[in-house]
Amino acid sequence: MPDESFQEKNEQATPRRREEARNQGQVARSAELSSVAILLAGLMALSGMGAFMYRGLAQFTTRMLTDGFTIQLDLANTPAYIWDWAGSTAQVAAPLLLVLTAVALLINYAQVGVVFTGKPLMPKFDRINPLSGVGRLFSMHGLVELAKGLFKIALIVYITYLTIANEAVNYIRFLDMEVGQIFALSGELILKLGYRILMALLALSVLDYAFQRWEFEKSLRMSKQEIKEEFKQQEGDPHVRARIRSLQREMSRRRMMDDVPKADVVVTNPTHIAVALRYDPEMMAAPQVVAKGQRLMAQKIKEMAREAGVPLVEDKPLARALFKAAQVGDTVPEELFKAVAQVLAFVYQLKRKKW
């Protein structure tokens, strides 16, 4: 058997391999996509709720500055003031926090679904080993991450330069504006710049997610030998399973042969096929096949029938039809009722003559 470590892993991962990787916390996930989606959602939330948050913060600040000179803090009223301030702050920040939390949950669910495992949190020596850290830093993955980081920095600088350069002609107007107007225009510029940067990063993060999925699928690939070993673990060794099936067939034959003496008649071919039938009008709706066999098994059935005094009736067409149409334990097919009834009537007639 070739060494498994030298075999190419070109086969798609099996469902069991994927489930094991998932239980270990190994999933195709892009941290960049999650971060950019959360930032973009936060920026959109600020754009839509900025006025509301500004009014709430302004009212809270005004109240604090106005009432701050008259408040007398002591051990009795300090908790009440703290709860009041915390509630006011929460009213301002809660909408934004809810949006960010919802987007974080949704984007992670869209990438990996629901995964509960503590395996990634288990301490590993290689994570704190300086040599391993240096190896990861200068590995291919580390170099790819470094290149991605440098490219993103260059892209952000380029977008920032273009945005500011296009708006440079409007900066001179700031000299004739009040502070509030300057803040408003500056806010619009910051939002415009933020949207442009985040949209560019979002496109890059989608590509990163596609790359992470490709890399994840590649890491899960298996060799043919690994697939064979997994199949053996799931299904058991083929030799063992063959032995089990052989024992099951032997037990089934023994039970079948034990039922031959209980039969009412054995229909024969006469030498190649034997089918034992039993019929109890009070317990059965139709005659039942209790044993059947061909060649050597047919001879054994006939020998046991002779020893038990079960009549043997030669009927080649009926024997072949019963052998093909019914399994052991099945009732006789309806189309054979008439032929079987004639055989049973003949057998019962023979028994009455003996009596």
Side-chain angles (χ1 to χ4, degrees), residues 175-195:
L175 298 175
D176 299 327
M177 293 182 183
E178 298 179 355
V179 175
Q181 292 176 318
I182 294 175
F183 273 116
L185 291 178
S186 299
E188 292 179 4
L189 178 61
I190 292 173
L191 285 177
K192 182 184 296 184
L193 177 62
Y195 276 121

Side-chain angles (χ1 to χ4, degrees), residues 37-53:
I38 292 171
L39 287 174
L40 184 59
L43 189 61
M44 294 175 66
L46 286 175
S47 300
M49 299 183 295
F52 164 78
M53 297 179 68

